[in-house]
Amino acid sequence: MPAPNILALSGSTRAGSLNTKLLGTVCRDLALLDCNVTRISLADYALPLYDGDLETRDGVPENAHRLVQLFNDHDGYFIVSPEYNGSLTPLLKNTIDWMSRVSEIDGEKVSAFRGKIAAIGAASPGSMGGISMLYHLREILVRLGTLVVSEQVAVGNAGKVFDENDRITDERSAEFLEKCCKSLVFTAGRLRVEP
Ligand SMILES: Cc1cc2nc3c(=O)[nH]c(=O)nc-3n(C[C@H](O)[C@H](O)[C@H](O)COP(=O)(O)O)c2cc1C
């Protein structure tokens, strides 16, 4: 089975973000599997708040094109995000909304989400770990054409579960995360389309 290319990103760019710590664990777990991992930060792809008038006037921002190209170059992706009022962060939703406006780059059809495999996760200081956000994120990604693996991880009490090396000390969460990563890599490898 060919090693799939997996992109990994967090819906929080906050200094000290619990989800960025989770992303670190995701990338370490993925690195143990047969895949190539690219970790990015949305801080490097700043975008204005989506505005239809802005799009009509100036077109889709370059950073949205860069992100779509990156997604297009990968077989799958792992997104972690905080839960804000039961849903995803404005940063992540805004990024997805801009990306969904790009269907062509340099005259070539591109697809950021369609035909991709994804896994999703969340970390929260609350006991539920951001589980409500995961339902919303899953629904959005599926609507955009991604196959989201059934395994997912919601790390509760996240303020207390990461050690000084940002490793998860909670066995149950660590096990869920490992299962997510394995499922993502297995599925992305199976469904990988050779260019
Ligand atoms: C506007 C806002 C809404 C929030 N709503 C929720 C929520 O619905 N559920 C939850 O578990 N935590 C909620 N939180 C707390 C976040 O989970 C917490 O701030 C977390 O540390 C943010 O993720 P980060 O550390 O990766 O930046 C909310 C935080 C903010 C700022």
Side-chain angles (χ1 to χ4, degrees):
M1 201 162 68
N5 300 318
I6 306 289
L7 193 61
L9 63 124
S10 167
S12 172
T13 53
R14 189 180 70 82
S17 158
L18 297 168
N19 284 275
T20 302
K21 287 177 199 257
L22 176 59
L23 188 69
T25 311
V26 165
C27 291
R28 273 196 298 264
D29 278 10
L30 286 172
L32 297 174
L33 303 170
D34 188 19
C35 66
N36 309 303
V37 189
T38 311
R39 177 180 176 162
I40 59 163
S41 166
L42 292 182
D44 296 325
Y45 298 87
L47 289 164
L49 187 60
Y50 179 80
D51 175 341
D53 291 336
L54 180 75
E55 183 185 358
T56 303
R57 195 182 66 229
D58 299 337
V60 177
E62 178 58 24
N63 276 343
H65 283 95
R66 287 174 63 215
L67 275 170
V68 169
Q69 186 66 63
L70 203 53
F71 271 67
N72 193 55
D73 292 343
H74 286 75
D75 305 298
Y77 56 92
F78 202 129
I79 297 184
V80 298
S81 175
E83 174 175 297
Y84 279 5
N85 296 312
S87 192
L88 39 162
T89 57
L91 169 66
L92 182 56
K93 182 66 165 60
N94 190 53
T95 302
I96 293 172
D97 286 345
W98 271 120
M99 288 172 69
S100 72
R101 305 298 294 161
V102 180
S103 56
E104 264 186 33
I105 294 179
D106 297 332
E108 294 280 314
K109 286 240 172 286
V110 286
S111 172
F113 301 104
R114 188 158 296 284
K116 306 288 167 186
I117 315 300
I120 53 177
S124 164
S127 59
M128 300 304 284
I131 188 103
S132 302
M133 185 285 296
L134 291 176
Y135 292 116
H136 286 191
L137 180 57
R138 177 180 293 277
E139 197 178 335
I140 292 166
L141 298 177
V142 167
R143 173 182 285 249
L144 291 170
T146 288
L147 190 164
V148 185
V149 298
S150 54
E151 294 81 359
Q152 58 184 25
V153 63
V155 182
N157 304 310
K160 298 181 190 142
V161 304
F162 292 100
D163 68 13
E164 61 282 5
N165 297 315
D166 292 348
R167 284 178 198 279
I168 296 180
T169 55
D170 171 49
E171 259 179 49
R172 205 171 133 78
S173 296
E175 205 177 297
F176 270 113
L177 180 56
E178 207 182 305
K179 282 186 179 156
C180 278
C181 290
K182 282 187 173 157
S183 182
L184 172 63
V185 171
F186 177 81
T187 313
R190 282 273 161 127
L191 300 183
R192 183 164 196 245
V193 180
E194 285 299 335

